[in-house]
Amino acid sequence: RSQQRYNGGEDSTSHRLRFPDNGASIQLKGNMWRSLPLGTDVTIDVGTNIDFDFTLTDLRDVHALCFTVDGYWDSRNTRCLVTANTQSWSKYNIFPKAQVGETRHYSIPVGLFFTGTFNYISFILDNDTSCRSCGDSTWSNVELSQVERPKLSVQVYGATVELDS
């Protein structure tokens, strides 16, 4: 699989993404920031959900899944979902956080957090300690889907008003 360094200043080139389970999973071991091309532009709108399983084996600074327009870190065009961390980072922290030894399934209405068109998915295992090979997490069954969001009904002076989400 074609992978590129997501953040040259943070990434350790000696580590490579691993693809266990016949490619159904992506495993990060050691400090790495990597991007994979989606193969086409993907638009995330208010009706977009993301589902995935996240397994945390060795907790480090930040474990995140991101979307970007060019495959490189840029705070203006990158949107990340943080599922485990010891360091404060990103405004899209997902709760509950995964715990060491746990596989947690997430179903996130990602389009309610951010919208845009992206062509790379990126994975971060940030580890700024002296043990750059420490840290281990796996992302599995990653799937984007479209759902219809329910309308919010509000009573205003006896009349029902429906608002789009």
Side-chain angles (χ1 to χ4, degrees):
R1 296 211 161 83
S2 173
Q3 59 181 281
Q4 69 184 43
R5 294 175 68 192
Y6 180 47
N7 182 339
E10 288 286 341
D11 191 53
S12 297
T13 57
S14 60
H15 305 112
R16 304 270 309 154
L17 286 176
R18 299 174 188 187
F19 300 93
D21 307 320
N22 294 319
S25 299
I26 296 171
Q27 183 180 27
L28 289 80
K29 283 190 165 199
N31 186 69
M32 70 173 73
W33 297 50
R34 297 297 162 83
S35 292
L36 299 170
L38 291 168
T40 187
D41 287 349
V42 171
T43 298
I44 294 177
D45 60 29
V46 296
T48 306
N49 264 20
I50 186 167
D51 287 88
F52 56 86
D53 297 315
F54 177 74
T55 303
L56 182 61
T57 305
D58 184 8
L59 176 64
R60 294 296 154 169
D61 297 340
V62 176
H63 299 259
L65 176 150
C66 308
F67 292 92
T68 185
V69 297
D70 60 6
Y72 295 99
W73 172 255
D74 180 342
S75 62
R76 293 180 313 260
N77 69 12
T78 299
R79 304 296 179 260
C80 296
L81 303 170
V82 176
T83 54
N85 59 316
T86 60
Q87 183 180 89
S88 178
W89 193 82
S90 179
K91 62 183 171 184
Y92 306 115
N93 283 289
I94 305 304
F95 294 96
K97 299 286 187 196
Q99 302 299 310
V100 172
E102 174 182 55
T103 297
R104 181 174 290 278
H105 177 77
Y106 290 93
S107 183
I108 301 165
V110 67
L112 297 179
F113 287 92
F114 56 83
T115 59
T117 300
F118 305 93
N119 54 13
Y120 281 84
I121 189 168
S122 304
F123 298 89
I124 296 173
L125 191 167
D126 185 44
N127 177 11
D128 296 329
T129 68
S130 61
C131 180
R132 303 291 267 185
S133 63
C134 293
D136 188 342
S137 56
T138 302
W139 304 81
S140 305
N141 307 311
V142 179
E143 182 179 347
L144 287 171
S145 61
Q146 286 297 119
V147 298
E148 188 171 325
R149 304 265 181 241
K151 294 182 184 264
L152 175 64
S153 294
V154 179
Q155 290 285 331
V156 179
Y157 300 114
T160 301
V161 176
E162 288 194 344
L163 306 172
D164 290 328
S165 56

